[in-house]
Amino acid sequence: MRIVLLGAPGAGKGTQCKRIVDRYHVAHLSSGDILRKERAAGTALGKKAQGYMDSGALVPDELIVAMMKEAIDEISETGFILDGFPRTVNQAKELDKALDAGGIPIEVVLNLEVNDTIIAERMSGRRSCQKCGAVYHVRNLKSQVEGVCDYDGAVLIQRPDDDLAVVKKRLKTYHEQTVPVIDYYEGHLTVNHIDANQGADAVDKIICEILDGLP
Ligand code: AMP
């Protein structure tokens, strides 16, 4: 199963990815998580990316495409879910070219739809695991032990780019540069639009129905 998961920042992509990975055993490739690891490791890519990330802008396509192609090449699983990538039409085209050449095209596109006001509320309460990238919310999706990741026991943090002013910039970037990616996929694949204004369990149920119904 090769899946692209689209949606604005804060739409719940990280949360749903964890569930999809647990159930369908596909590899989870989050461009945001990979960039954060590069930053933490102080690599050249991490250093180049940090200014864009902190301001809520997108990292240039050529850096992201090269990084994600390498990540896809490295996985051993037969399937994967792409989270946060592609975020521009150019990235989507480059991805299609690479996957078509390898005979492993995208099979499913899921698009999580959420109102901007709900997103702002969600992101201000969001907490993330700095080790595995798991995402929680202080009210709606609590970890079993407050402030600690359920998966690996690492401390949960609030990401600097979850600050409200940066969230607003990220939403603007999303509407301008990533919404056209939905149209791009509509041109050659079925895009499954999912109302993700509801709770994580309800969204999870819809996603399962879609994925279980695949041939
Ligand atoms: P995320 O955790 O997916 O919201 O990503 C955090 C930040 O990383 C974004 O605000 C961008 O600055 C950068 N980023 C992640 N994925 C991409 C991408 N596909 N293209 C460009 N920048 C990205």
Side-chain angles (χ1 to χ4, degrees), residues 9 13 30-33 35-36 52-53 56-61 64 83-87 91 126 159 161 170:
K13 298 191 297 296
S30 156
S31 47
D33 285 351
L35 286 170
R36 281 183 284 279
Y52 299 101
M53 294 173 79
L58 293 183
V59 175
D61 284 348
I64 291 291
D83 164 10
F85 174 82
R87 248 171 161 111
Q91 290 179 17
R126 185 151 90 161
R159 281 168 33 185
D161 58 351
R170 292 170 74 195

Side-chain angles (χ1 to χ4, degrees), residues 2-3 8 48 74 87 95 98 108 152 178 186 213:
R2 292 179 297 275
I3 310 166
K48 280 184 199 157
E74 276 171 7
R87 248 171 161 111
L95 173 67
V108 190
D152 54 27
T178 307
E186 295 270 20

Side-chain angles (χ1 to χ4, degrees), residues 60-123:
D61 284 348
E62 61 274 18
L63 296 178
I64 291 291
V65 169
M67 177 186 92
M68 292 307 285
K69 277 188 191 170
E70 197 181 313
I72 291 170
D73 281 347
E74 276 171 7
I75 55 173
S76 52
E77 287 87 343
T78 50
F80 53 77
I81 180 158
L82 300 179
D83 164 10
F85 174 82
R87 248 171 161 111
T88 66
V89 172
N90 182 41
Q91 290 179 17
K93 287 182 177 168
E94 290 297 320
L95 173 67
D96 272 353
K97 256 195 254 168
L99 295 181
D100 286 345
I104 49 167
I106 293 299
E107 295 165 302
V108 190
V109 182
L110 304 172
N111 179 35
L112 301 184
E113 297 180 319
V114 186
N115 297 334
D116 285 5
T117 41
I118 293 184
I119 285 181
E121 196 277 326
R122 279 186 187 174
M123 288 174 94

